[in-house]
Each structure stands twice: as structure tokens, then as C-alpha cells.
Amino acid sequence: MEKRLTRTDYLFAVTFIFMLVVAMGAFFFGLKMGQDRSSLKYEDMLNKQNEAAKSFTAYHQQYLVSFYHTIYQPYREFHKKWFEKTDELLTNRTADASLILKDLSKLAQESYDSLGSKSMPDSSPLLQEAHKDYMKSLKLFGEGLKSYSAKANGIPAAELIAQLQADPYLGEAKTFALKAEKSYYESIDKWYATINPQFKSIDVTKPLSLNDWKSQSLNMKNEYVAQLMLGNKLFKPFTPQDLTSRIDEMIQSGQAQKMNLNDVGQVVDVLMATDAVRKSDFIQNKDKYYGKETLPQLPFFTTN
């Protein structure tokens, strides 16, 4: 004979089921809240990471280093040869001028072809621009020098150099090289801005007093000098940091003050007029003036 459930049994069962439903509801409600909070947390973290990525991808040190080795250094090999060979034309009377210029033209074309297979990411517009301008420079050097290779031996060395200096093709080639260099140093400054919240950029196209110059970081000084070299068409064997170090040396030694020089442009004019800058100047002065500076890990900041 079956035993009937009492009212107490029914009440207990209903209460148990109700509590089970409430517990399950609370569990799933808590789970949903936890998921929502986690989703918001990680979404916020992801957004911050994406924002950080956007802020450094264009000027990340890795891109600066890659540009140095794949684009800047191959161009500088031609740049170095240009000054070596033009000096040889002036100092060596037996030099085969036609062969020298033919070889330079060939090197420019080979360097151009090499750079054509390289690329910079779309997120790095300044590096892309520098890449294109270095290629334009090499193309113009190659074409300009080719026109002299056949006739060079029939022109006195001093006159030949004068013609090379005045040639519009070669002049434009130098301008593109200086423009590319300016873009590269500006990229370095952009990198520096991502790691130094206190960094404030200046207008590199305007005159800069020596007092304002002294308060700038080395990276900012180099960009300013690169712009000066572009504006004054200073196509030289040295780098912007070499010229920067000589400016600082003139200021620190008191020479600039004795000569009543008030802005950076005036100091540069004096240094150029006296041929006082060499391509090893920065390395020689680095420990003396720039021991506390933060620089990207690029070879031209560590070796000649």
C-alpha cells in the first residue's frame, strides 16, 4: 500500500525546488555578470593595446633599424664613394676620370636596383618617403654621371668637378638625398616622442637661438640640423649628428659667444666657411656631450 505525502512533504519539496531555481538563477546571473565584466576588461585592454600599437608602429625602433640596414646603408655606400672618387679626381692627375664616373654611375644604378626590392610598412609614411627619395637620388646620380663618362678624360680635373657641381641632374640628386635624410631623422624624433612623454617638438624651419638649442634633446637637434642641411643644400660627407656635435662644441667652448653668434644658422655658416666638420666628430664628442642622451640602437650613433 502506497504511503501518501503529507503537507509538510509537499512544502519541503516545493521549497527545495524553489531554492534550487533561485540558486541556479543566481549562478547564471553571476556567470553572466562575470562574463560581461571580463569582456569589458579585456576589450578595454585590447583597445589600449591597439592604441599603443598604433602609436608606435610608425616609429618603432625595429623599423628604424630595418631602414638603416636595408635602405640607408646601401645608399651611404654610394655616398661614401662619391666623395672618395671626386677627391681622387682632384688629387690624382693620372686618374682615369671617365672610368671613375662610369663606375660611379654603375654603382648608383646597382644601388637603385637594390633599393627597389625593399619596402617599408604603410604605417611608416616618413620612412616610405625617405625610401622613395633615396631611390630618386640614386636614379638621378646614375643618369647624370653617365652623360660625363665618355667625355670626362678630355676635361681638366678642376673644370670637371666644377661642371659636376653645377649639373642640374646631380644637383637634384643631392637635394633628394638630403630630403630623404631629413625624413629619416624626423622618424627618429617621432620614435623618441613615443618613449619620452616630456618631449616637445619644435618648428625646424624657423631660426633657433642658441639658448633654445641648448635645451633640446640630441634627437631634436639632429632633425633640426638635417633640415638646415636640406635648406642650405649642404651635401657633405658627414652626418647631421657630426654637425650637431660641432655646434655644441662651439657653444660649450665659448667660441660662439666670442664671435657674437646668436642662432644655430649663424654657427653653421661659420663651420661651413671654415670646413670645420668631419664625419667622425659625433663619435669623438659623444661621451663628452651626450652620455645621458637616449638614442635608438642605430650603428651611426655608435661607430664611424
Side-chain angles (χ1 to χ4, degrees), residues 42-212:
Y42 287 108
E43 184 178 344
D44 184 56
M45 288 175 61
L46 183 60
N47 288 335
K48 288 180 179 179
Q49 288 176 351
N50 288 337
E51 288 174 6
K54 290 177 183 177
S55 71
F56 71 66
T57 50
Y59 313 109
H60 194 277
Q61 183 170 223
Q62 179 180 342
Y63 293 154
L64 299 179
V65 173
S66 176
F67 184 92
Y68 182 96
H69 288 291
T70 62
I71 297 168
Y72 178 84
Q73 190 60 33
Y75 170 80
R76 291 295 291 193
E77 286 300 317
F78 170 80
H79 183 271
K80 178 182 177 182
K81 286 292 184 184
W82 167 265
F83 287 100
E84 288 178 353
K85 294 303 182 181
T86 51
D87 285 347
E88 184 180 345
L89 289 175
L90 281 174
T91 58
N92 185 358
R93 292 183 180 180
T94 62
D96 188 334
S98 291
L99 181 60
I100 286 175
L101 297 186
K102 181 180 179 180
D103 287 346
L104 277 174
S105 176
K106 182 181 178 181
L107 178 59
Q109 184 61 47
E110 290 174 349
S111 299
Y112 171 84
D113 293 340
S114 174
L115 265 59
S117 65
K118 306 300 189 298
S119 65
M120 282 288 107
D122 292 338
S123 60
S124 305
L126 285 170
L127 296 179
Q128 285 188 329
E129 185 178 341
H131 180 197
K132 292 176 183 176
D133 285 337
Y134 275 133
M135 289 190 66
K136 291 175 183 177
S137 174
L138 289 165
K139 188 68 173 177
L140 288 168
F141 267 120
E143 293 175 353
L145 290 167
K146 189 182 297 183
S147 65
Y148 285 93
S149 59
K151 61 183 179 182
N153 283 343
I155 306 173
E159 183 180 340
L160 177 60
I161 294 298
Q163 288 187 26
L164 293 175
Q165 295 292 346
D167 186 88
Y169 256 74
L170 300 179
E172 194 170 359
K174 295 172 185 177
T175 298
F176 275 120
L178 291 168
K179 187 171 178 287
E181 188 168 64
K182 161 62 174 62
S183 295
Y184 189 31
Y185 280 83
E186 185 177 352
S187 297
I188 293 172
D189 234 357
K190 296 293 186 183
W191 162 82
Y192 183 62
T194 66
I195 64 169
N196 184 0
Q198 306 302 318
F199 173 80
K200 291 184 179 179
S201 183
I202 60 174
D203 188 342
V204 296
T205 65
K206 294 183 178 179
L208 185 67
S209 72
L210 297 188
N211 283 334
D212 289 337

Side-chain angles (χ1 to χ4, degrees), residues 240-253 255 267 271 274-278 281-282 285 289-290:
Q241 59 265 27
D242 290 319
L243 180 50
T244 293
S245 72
R246 292 292 285 119
I247 294 169
D248 282 328
E249 189 173 33
M250 281 197 69
I251 295 172
Q252 295 287 343
S253 66
Q255 287 179 291
V267 177
L271 290 170
T274 56
D275 194 24
V277 185
R278 298 290 179 270
D281 284 340
F282 171 76
N285 287 326
Y289 297 129
Y290 311 114

